[in-house]
Amino acid sequence: MKRGLTHQSKRYVGNAVNVILKKFYKRVEVLPPKDPLSSAYKFSIFLDGKVSKTPSQRQLQFRKPELAYLVAAEFDSQDQYLIPSTMPLLTMSRTAVDADFDTELREKFIMDIVNFVQSDTACYREEEKRELSEIQDRYLNPLIARVNQKLNTNLGAARG
């Protein structure tokens, strides 16, 4: 057992804060769907012949085989335990699939992004150095405009 882990069961190891899933599969495969017309997605990851799913129990599917193979490699690189921090593409992919179907979850993510972006340096402009301020406006205003368009927000630049 790894150091610092206090709870052990057949599938999970961890404490109340961090639960780590024991590796439960031996084989990782990327396969296209049996019926390619059944979905906008094309490739799925199978662990010992069972399809990988999201936390909301949706089938984890990918439009691009390259991404599917990268996520499969994350599964394949796990040793005795599944360590989520070493599987960032899996985490993002599962979140994206669930948010694609869950409007409330998607809106929460958009608000999290907007709240983060508001404090990002892309929204800050130098006030005293005019030349730097003009460069910031030229390169960062189109970025802010695109974020506003994509997320239906009204971000602006703060000067200071």
Side-chain angles (χ1 to χ4, degrees):
M1 183 158 97
K2 290 190 176 185
R3 188 177 198 173
L5 301 176
T6 58
H7 172 74
Q8 199 169 12
S9 71
K10 290 184 179 181
R11 292 191 65 187
Y12 297 94
V13 175
N15 57 31
V17 177
N18 297 314
V19 175
I20 299 171
L21 183 64
K22 288 183 181 181
K23 186 174 177 180
F24 57 90
Y25 57 89
K26 293 180 181 177
R27 191 183 55 193
V28 180
E29 297 176 284
V30 174
L31 299 172
K34 292 178 181 172
D35 179 7
L37 301 177
S38 66
S39 173
Y41 300 100
K42 297 194 185 287
F43 297 88
S44 298
I45 295 175
F46 289 82
L47 307 172
D48 291 339
K50 295 180 182 176
V51 69
S52 180
K53 294 189 176 187
T54 70
S56 297
Q57 297 303 306
R58 291 184 178 89
Q59 187 173 342
L60 185 59
Q61 298 178 319
F62 303 87
R63 291 182 176 103
K64 302 279 184 180
E66 297 86 355
L67 181 56
Y69 282 107
L70 287 170
V71 173
E74 288 182 344
F75 272 113
D76 210 28
S77 70
Q78 301 302 299
D79 192 22
Q80 188 177 0
Y81 300 98
L82 299 181
I83 310 295
S85 63
T86 64
M87 305 175 82
L89 294 175
L90 172 66
T91 303
M92 288 186 283
S93 298
R94 285 178 167 171
T95 301
V97 169
D98 281 344
D100 200 28
F101 291 93
D102 185 336
T103 306
E104 193 173 303
L105 181 62
R106 183 172 47 251
E107 290 299 320
K108 180 198 175 304
F109 290 138
I110 289 172
M111 289 310 302
D112 288 348
I113 291 167
V114 168
N115 288 335
F116 174 79
V117 169
Q118 287 176 345
S119 65
D120 191 80
T121 56
C123 291
Y124 175 80
R125 299 293 185 276
E126 175 60 48
E127 191 171 44
E128 294 180 17
K129 298 178 182 173
R130 184 176 170 91
E131 186 178 340
L132 177 56
S133 180
E134 289 172 359
I135 292 170
Q136 289 172 322
D137 286 342
R138 184 173 348 126
Y139 289 101
L140 298 176
N141 285 353
L143 176 67
I144 292 173
R146 183 166 178 168
V147 168
N148 284 334
Q149 178 188 12
K150 288 283 187 187
L151 300 181
N152 195 26
T153 60
N154 191 21
L155 293 174
R159 301 205 180 266

